[in-house]
């Protein structure tokens, strides 16, 4: 089990990697494999490529972060020998082109779910989300489904809660997506524009059934912060990060501070998963003109000290340490010291040298909200899901993302080399012989088995 406890040990992170599409046209590279044919030798009309998308691993030894490397590796020599192409391996390699979670992604017990939002301007409403499920070890594509916009699958991130065994997310909804019991409530807390309309859109804590991809709102309203990531620790505490602004100044340690010398930039926020409400402090204030007192709610955390791009990012916790969140975010919000020595917007054409698109691994202390930049990420990789290899809160949960099956063997049998259970949780002696659905545990790995 690899986790970080001190600088003497190694933190191994894995994630769904995808690079940026830069403004100067530079794109992710691809390697052509060849045409795809079926078992009968008929051309399928498809072409195979090796792409940069996929699962990546990287290690932090307390000093530096290794270059993200594909895990599993995808090598042309394993797929193509001369003119001979292994069609199964070629299709497997090509499928990584679909591993893109621009609307959210999550790791759960050795499996991945990615949600890709299709371009509304080029597709019909009924085909907005591409939902794909994967084996996180082999990279095998388990399922691929198109879902309509009405499923509300756009999120700032999803994460497994080990306390109740559910998956939560910070989903982007409109007022129309909330129950009438909320929107008809005179205390509905999102009336920020003084003229509430059902078209208002913001973020809401929701649960999601990964088998059906059904989203259920919990928060009695919407939050409008620009959240960029979401993660739950081993204690069931849920956190999100905002992208942060860039106003203020950099101190001698390179951290962003405001006029009051307080840490600024991206801010940590905590949510109560039962109510869906953000944890905030009530501060009594008085109107400057009338003197009338009122209550204003403020974050319980200071700023992280770092700004980050207003784009989806990723964060996670090691199961063994609930107080440190690992976050791979951008280095700035598109601003920095420009060619004239001023703090301003950086030139897109100079991104390779001015750091506009740089990313970094941060460690966020959830007791204070402050962050520490551990190291830059080589080649500016971004990730739509992130987890600690061998030390994730969902490992061993027994969840099947393809149909939501989740049965955990009793502790009496948990250390067995191999065992089998019926769908009702009863132990089955030997190999199952009757037709039906079974849950097996082989060397600690839980999986679903159907006997026809």
């Amino acid at each position: 089990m690899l986790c970080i406890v001190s600088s003497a040990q190694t933190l191994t992170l894995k994630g769904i990697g995808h690079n940026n599409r830069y403004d100067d046209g530079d794109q992710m590279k691809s390697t052509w494999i060849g045409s795809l044919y079926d078992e009968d030798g008929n051309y399928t009309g498809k072409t195979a490529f090796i792409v940069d998308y996929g699962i990546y691993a990287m290690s932090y030894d307390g000093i530096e972060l290794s270059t993200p490397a594909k895990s599993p590796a995808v090598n042309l020599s394993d797929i193509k020998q001369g003119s001979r192409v292994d069609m199964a391996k070629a299709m497997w390699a090509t499928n990584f082109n679909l591993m893109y979670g621009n609307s959210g992604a999550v790791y759960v017990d050795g499996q991945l779910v990615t949600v890709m939002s299709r371009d509304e301007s080029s597709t019909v409403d009924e085909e907005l989300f591409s939902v794909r499920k994967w084996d996180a070890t082999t990279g095998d594509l388990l399922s691929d489904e198109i879902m309509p916009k009405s499923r509300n699958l756009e999120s700032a991130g999803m994460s497994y809660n080990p306390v109740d065994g559910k998956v939560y997310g910070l989903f982007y909804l409109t007022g129309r997506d909330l129950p009438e019991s909320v929107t008809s409530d005179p205390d509905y807390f999102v009336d920020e524009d003084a003229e509430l309309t059902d078209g208002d859109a913001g973020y809401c804590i929701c649960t999601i059934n990964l088998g059906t991809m059904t989203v259920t709102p919990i928060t009695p309203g919407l939050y409008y912060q620009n959240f960029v990531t979401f993660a739950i620790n081993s204690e069931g505490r849920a956190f999100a990060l905002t992208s942060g602004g860039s106003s203020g100044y950099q101190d001698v340690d390179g951290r962003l501070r405001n006029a009051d010398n307080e840490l600024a930039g991206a801010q940590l926020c905590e949510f109560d998963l039962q109510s869906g409400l953000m944890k905030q402090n009530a501060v009594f204030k008085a109107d400057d003109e009338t003197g009338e007192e009122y209550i204003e709610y403020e974050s319980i955390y200071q700023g992280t000290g770092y700004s980050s791009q207003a784009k989806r990012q990723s964060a996670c916790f090691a199961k063994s340490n609930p107080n440190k969140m690992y976050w791979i975010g951008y280095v700035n919000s598109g601003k920095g010291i420009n060619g004239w020595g001023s703090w301003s917007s950086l030139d897109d054409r100079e991104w390779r040298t001015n750091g506009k698109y740089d990313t970094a691994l941060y460690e966020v202390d959830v007791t204070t909200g402050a962050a520490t930049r551990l190291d830059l990420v080589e080649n500016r990789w971004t990730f739509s899901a992130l987890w600690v290899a061998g030390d994730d809160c969902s490992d061993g949960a027994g969840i099947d993302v393809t149909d939501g099956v989740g049965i955990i063997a009793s502790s009496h049998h948990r250390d067995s080399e191999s065992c089998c259970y019926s769908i009702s949780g009863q132990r089955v002696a030997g190999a199952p012989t009757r037709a039906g659905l079974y849950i097996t545990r082989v060397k600690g790995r839980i999986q679903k088995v159907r006997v026809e």
Side-chain angles (χ1 to χ4, degrees), residues 99-122:
M99 190 178 278
Y100 185 57
N102 68 344
S103 286
V106 62
Y107 168 90
V108 181
D109 193 20
Q111 302 154 101
L112 296 167
V113 178
T114 59
V115 180
M116 186 185 78
S117 178
R118 299 156 65 96
D119 187 354
E120 289 187 78
S121 65
S122 62

Side-chain angles (χ1 to χ4, degrees), residues 106-316:
V106 62
Y107 168 90
V108 181
D109 193 20
Q111 302 154 101
L112 296 167
V113 178
T114 59
V115 180
M116 186 185 78
S117 178
R118 299 156 65 96
D119 187 354
E120 289 187 78
S121 65
S122 62
T123 188
V124 296
D125 185 61
E126 287 75 18
E127 297 181 350
L128 183 62
F129 295 112
S130 292
V131 177
R132 299 181 177 105
K133 301 174 181 180
W134 312 79
D135 186 305
T137 301
T138 65
D140 291 341
L141 178 61
L142 304 176
S143 65
D144 188 350
E145 187 175 359
I146 299 296
M147 293 188 177
K149 181 179 180 180
S150 59
R151 299 300 291 272
N152 297 316
L153 295 175
E154 175 78 24
S155 78
M158 296 172 279
S159 187
Y160 173 82
N161 180 12
V163 174
D164 61 13
K166 297 179 182 179
V167 177
Y168 292 79
L170 199 50
F171 288 86
Y172 190 72
L173 307 177
T174 69
R176 302 185 191 93
D177 302 316
L178 297 176
E180 186 178 355
S181 60
V182 170
T183 55
S184 62
D185 187 342
D187 295 326
Y188 177 45
F189 74 82
V190 301
D191 193 4
E192 294 189 358
D193 59 5
E195 190 175 335
L196 179 67
T197 64
D198 287 342
D200 283 355
Y203 286 94
C204 171
I205 292 290
C206 305
T207 58
I208 180 169
N209 182 317
L210 295 180
T212 62
M213 298 303 290
T214 301
V215 172
T216 303
I218 297 176
T219 310
L222 300 172
Y223 287 102
Y224 295 98
Q225 285 89 335
N226 187 18
F227 299 112
V228 294
T229 192
F230 178 78
I232 301 174
N233 70 4
S234 58
E235 298 173 343
R237 296 174 64 189
F239 298 90
L241 280 166
T242 65
S243 65
S246 55
S247 58
Y249 70 95
Q250 285 185 306
D251 63 17
V252 293
D253 295 323
R255 292 184 174 181
L256 194 67
R257 293 185 178 273
N258 60 23
D260 296 322
N261 200 35
E262 300 169 328
L263 287 177
Q267 190 166 61
L268 186 70
C269 304
E270 182 175 358
F271 290 88
D272 180 286
L273 291 180
Q274 290 189 330
S275 66
L277 294 175
M278 186 189 299
K279 295 184 178 182
Q280 296 175 307
N281 290 326
V283 180
F284 288 90
K285 295 189 176 182
D287 187 277
D288 292 337
E289 296 182 359
T290 65
E292 183 179 353
E293 288 192 344
Y294 64 96
I295 296 177
E296 189 170 289
Y297 293 93
E298 298 179 352
S299 174
I300 62 177
Y301 292 104
Q302 61 183 333
T304 60
Y306 298 96
S307 288
S308 196
Q309 295 279 343
K311 299 176 182 179
R312 182 173 286 96
Q313 298 162 31
S314 54
C316 68

